[in-house]
Amino acid sequence: MTWHDDQARRDELYRDPYPLYDRARRAEGLTYVPEFDAWLVARDRDVREVLLRAEDFSSANALLPDVPLSEAALGVLPRGFGPRPTVVSSDGAAHRRHRAPLNRGLSAGRVAALIPYARTCANELVDRFAADGSAELVSAYARQLPGMVVGRLIGLDPADVPAAVHGGYRAEELLFRPMSPEGQVAAAEDVVALQHLLDGYVRDRRAHPRDDMCSAMVAALAPGADELTLEQRHELVTSLQNLLIAGFLTTSALIATMLLHLLADPRQWRSLRADPSLAPAAVEEAVRHDTAIQAFRRITTRPVTLAGTELPAGAALLVAYGSGNRDEERYERPGEFDITRPGNRQHLAFGYGTHGCPGSQLAREQLRLTLDLFVRRMPDLRLDADRPRPRMRPTLIHRSPQDLYVTW
């Protein structure tokens, strides 16, 4: 079987992993999945155990690429910065060092201060198509709002946000989507351009600190006032790139998927419209039912036993949050989307333990204000009946519809 055949099989699993998850939760022990070259951790209790045992299950391979890079693309990337370990791919003291400025910069107070800006941006985006009677919401709204918000958090000039978001998507595409060698070169050049953009901000904030996340990360990861070394710049650019992409990729996906499931069940949309106070519960159910980050990888640091399966050191695991969120032992009717479901905030959509998402509150706030906005301004919103049901993107790290055509 060729690599392309493997990728095609992976893509089918990525588009709909839930039948595989169901089988894996019912199986004895762990299930080895050749398409992922990893043991699938599918049950809620096993996912939580792995995430609480970072010393046994390392994050070093958390974002292992799916795609081999061509020699031509590998010739382009050294013109940029990185790769270096980030908060996602480090453990122990290194993880705590990367995590500390994120925790401070994404505190409840900092998030609350960002929300008026997010609300203004959201309204301005809707203003652009509100009079049209129809729209494609992935490109017109979901892919734009989170980039604007995380750009503000980091301290980017709004004029630089579109290029930064474009570069972020290209980085994800380069590592996880099959492309021709020429396509990989073009994507690599976009990634390098993003890294040089971020390096300019890093060096500027060293010289002229501001009250933004870029300045905070420079101060935390490169203490002192000396000119940044090349190695410090590599680390800071990699960390900022990770924050930027994590900040918009998953939230954009969650917005689109949440709206898809709500509009696919008009009865629940009408319930939300009749009682907007259901919005927080609708958000929690949306991220539980079909979360953006379906799974991250882990690798064992020593021989361990998990769910009765003996694993050697160096064994690759795929830790499936999306499967744990549909575990029959934790939820009744776990495959159903139900915005009145009680107790649905204990899901795994934002991770668990030391690697729990530090931006979860900011994501939740953007999801809530999106529901408030559309219920108020477009109460008759519905899926475009003349379009086929949207297909999901073939990815486990920003699961979302490829497009979302709506009318009102």
Side-chain angles (χ1 to χ4, degrees), residues 209-238:
R210 300 186 189 177
D211 185 19
D212 59 29
M213 185 71 97
C214 183
S215 300
M217 292 178 73
V218 170
L221 299 181
D226 295 341
E227 184 174 335
L228 294 170
T229 67
L230 183 59
E231 178 56 33
Q232 287 172 327
R233 288 163 61 198
H234 273 282
E235 181 179 58
L236 282 161
V237 167
T238 304

Side-chain angles (χ1 to χ4, degrees), residues 343-366:
N344 63 0
R345 197 181 167 99
Q346 303 306 311
H347 53 70
L348 295 162
F350 295 114
Y352 183 69
T354 57
H355 277 272
C357 175
S360 60
Q361 191 57 33
L362 184 57
R364 284 181 163 108
E365 294 290 351
Q366 291 177 77

Side-chain angles (χ1 to χ4, degrees), residues 151-158 160 197-220 222 224-226 228 236 240:
R152 176 80 159 210
L153 173 76
I154 290 171
L156 303 184
D157 185 316
D160 286 334
L197 174 69
L198 295 177
D199 180 55
Y201 276 93
V202 163
R203 288 182 289 120
D204 176 77
R205 295 306 194 267
R206 175 57 125 204
H208 310 287
R210 300 186 189 177
D211 185 19
D212 59 29
M213 185 71 97
C214 183
S215 300
M217 292 178 73
V218 170
D226 295 341
L228 294 170
L236 282 161
L240 263 183

